[in-house]
């Protein structure tokens, strides 16, 4: 039976604004998303028995039908009447409940991988349409790069790439549910919102400093997590051009001009926090290894 291995990349949010709420409960957002070279590895193997089996090196994720990866496989299996089953192994490197789209990226990788394995010949646009039913970040995770996302996150417009830089990621022990973050944002007055146009212009001008200094996330203000504040301050004090919480949290990222500065800051953060990574921006989303 056939198998495939894929890189499932994390994302950060250079900005997030929540503009309102639709009648169906989905929130309207405006955000700039960026894929980075921190990734999980998704290994998919066809099996003759008609089952979807999930395994992982992580004890932090469900290994049953509650995992978005299972849902991604099932939606394609049902839609195209596939009788073979699959074994999916998730090698987790992206922190869970960090606001970095780890689950959405895993689902994106399964859609891309099964499209190849099962020779469904679906276009990227069609895969994104299917992915949107699983989660608002899945379409972006399929294509990756630097994108402006509007609507509920499904309207994607390519932006000039984030200039070359080093990105330090630090996730505190506290985890955040997306639902809780939206509830907090709905029920408080946000004083500092991102100016998306300024950020878009800074990307167009390839001005890394201007991008870094204009990053804002309404969830960071709404949640007001102490560890997030501490990490942000530590990054700024240690040569970050700017720092911001990603997604609904709780991971924080800082942007650095040089690897040396990024290493210096990451070593300071590691004295207090367990999950610290140094990454670079990438122009791709899911990528096949085989």
């Amino acid at each position: 039976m056939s198998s495939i291995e894929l890189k499932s990349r994390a994302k950060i949010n250079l900005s997030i604004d929540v503009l309102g709420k639709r009648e169906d409960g989905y929130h309207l957002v405006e955000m700039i998303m960026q894929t980075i070279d921190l990734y999980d590895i998704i290994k998919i193997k066809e099996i003759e028995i008609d089952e979807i089996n999930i395994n992982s090196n992580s004890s932090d994720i469900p290994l049953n039908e509650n995992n978005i990866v299972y849902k991604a496989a099932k939606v394609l299996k049902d839609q195209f009447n596939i009788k073979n089953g699959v074994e999916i192994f998730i090698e987790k490197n992206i922190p869970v409940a960090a606001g970095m789209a780890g689950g959405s990226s895993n689902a994106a990788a399964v859609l891309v991988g099964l499209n190849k394995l099962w020779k469904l010949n679906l276009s990227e646009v069609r895969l994104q349409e299917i992915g949107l039913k699983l989660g608002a970040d899945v379409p972006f995770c399929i294509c990756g790069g630097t994108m402006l996302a509007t609507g509920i996150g499904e309207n994607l417009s390519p932006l000039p790439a984030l200039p070359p830089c080093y990105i330090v990621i630090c996730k505190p022990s506290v985890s955040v549910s997306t639902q809780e973050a939206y509830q907090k944002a709905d029920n408080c007055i946000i004083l500092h919102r991102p100016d998306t146009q300024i950020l878009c212009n800074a990307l167009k001008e390839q001005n890394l400093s201007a991008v870094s200094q204009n990053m804002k996330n309404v969830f960071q203000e709404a949640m007001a997590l102490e560890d997030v504040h501490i990490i942000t301050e530590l990054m700024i004090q240690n040569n970050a051009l700017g720092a911001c919480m990603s997604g609904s949290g709780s991971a924080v990222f800082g942007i650095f001009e040089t690897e040396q500065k990024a290493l210096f800051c990451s070593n300071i953060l590691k004295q207090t926090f367990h999950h610290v990574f140094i990454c670079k921006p990438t122009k791709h989303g899911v990528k096949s290894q085989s």
Side-chain angles (χ1 to χ4, degrees):
M1 304 296 281
S2 301
S3 63
I4 191 168
E5 191 171 303
L6 306 104
K7 288 181 178 178
S8 161
R9 289 187 171 89
K11 63 86 179 161
I12 55 173
N13 294 85
L14 302 179
S15 70
I16 297 186
D17 202 0
V18 180
L19 305 178
K21 195 174 181 180
R22 299 196 316 194
E23 286 183 7
D24 61 5
Y26 279 99
H27 286 79
L28 297 167
V29 295
E30 185 176 79
M31 55 190 177
I32 296 176
M33 297 198 281
Q34 172 68 55
T35 36
I36 56 175
D37 63 359
L38 173 64
Y39 55 85
D40 295 339
I41 292 174
I42 305 296
K43 299 173 183 176
I44 309 172
K45 185 167 72 174
E46 278 191 295
I47 54 175
E48 289 182 11
I49 190 165
D50 191 4
E51 291 179 353
I52 299 167
N53 296 324
I54 314 284
N55 289 295
S56 178
N57 64 333
S58 171
S59 58
D60 295 330
I61 58 173
L63 300 178
N64 54 27
E65 64 276 4
N66 294 320
N67 192 308
I68 191 171
V69 156
Y70 183 99
K71 295 171 185 175
K74 183 155 175 51
V75 75
L76 287 183
K77 213 166 142 26
D78 291 350
Q79 195 162 332
F80 296 96
N81 198 28
I82 305 291
K83 295 306 180 188
N84 286 343
V86 283
E87 282 181 0
I88 302 170
F89 186 84
I90 306 167
E91 185 182 306
K92 262 299 186 198
N93 300 301
I94 304 167
V96 175
M100 299 176 70
S104 295
S105 178
N106 294 168
V110 167
L111 293 178
V112 170
L114 289 179
N115 186 41
K116 288 186 178 180
L117 268 189
W118 289 340
K119 299 179 172 58
L120 302 177
N121 299 315
L122 302 173
S123 68
E124 184 172 90
V125 170
R126 185 73 190 101
L127 286 175
Q128 287 176 321
E129 288 169 356
I130 295 167
L132 181 61
K133 294 171 184 171
L134 299 167
D137 284 341
V138 177
F140 169 74
C141 291
I142 290 171
C143 59
T146 313
M147 293 271 181
L148 171 65
T150 57
I152 61 169
E154 84 284 18
N155 299 324
L156 299 172
S157 307
L159 292 170
L162 183 66
C165 61
Y166 292 86
I167 300 166
V168 175
I169 311 276
C170 180
K171 182 190 179 290
S173 56
V174 62
S175 293
V176 174
S177 84
T178 304
Q179 188 179 359
E180 181 190 358
Y182 274 109
Q183 283 172 352
K184 287 269 180 80
D186 285 342
N187 295 313
C188 75
I189 296 167
I190 304 292
L191 299 175
H192 304 99
R193 295 183 178 275
D195 188 321
T196 305
Q197 194 55 56
I198 285 178
L199 271 168
C200 289
N201 290 341
L203 287 166
K204 193 174 179 181
E205 292 160 8
Q206 292 293 281
N207 187 333
L208 185 63
S209 181
V211 171
S212 305
Q213 288 164 24
N214 286 284
M215 299 186 304
K216 284 191 180 70
N217 179 345
V218 295
F219 292 128
Q220 186 167 351
E221 187 176 326
M223 297 296 290
L225 297 170
E226 185 181 358
D227 279 353
V228 166
H229 177 72
I230 290 167
I231 295 166
T232 304
E233 289 298 305
L234 277 172
M235 287 181 172
I236 297 297
Q237 288 163 15
N238 290 283
N239 298 312
L241 294 173
C244 189
M245 190 173 84
S246 184
S248 55
S250 59
V252 179
F253 67 93
I255 292 183
F256 296 80
E257 290 174 290
T258 67
E259 186 175 18
Q260 187 179 9
K261 289 177 178 178
L263 273 167
F264 182 82
C265 183
S266 71
N267 286 334
I268 286 170
L269 291 165
K270 282 176 181 175
Q271 293 171 19
T272 308
F273 300 99
H274 178 61
H275 294 293
V276 182
F277 310 87
I278 299 178
C279 315
K280 292 180 183 178
T282 174
K283 296 177 182 178
H284 305 287
V286 173
K287 195 143 191 181
S288 173
Q289 300 258 84
S290 51

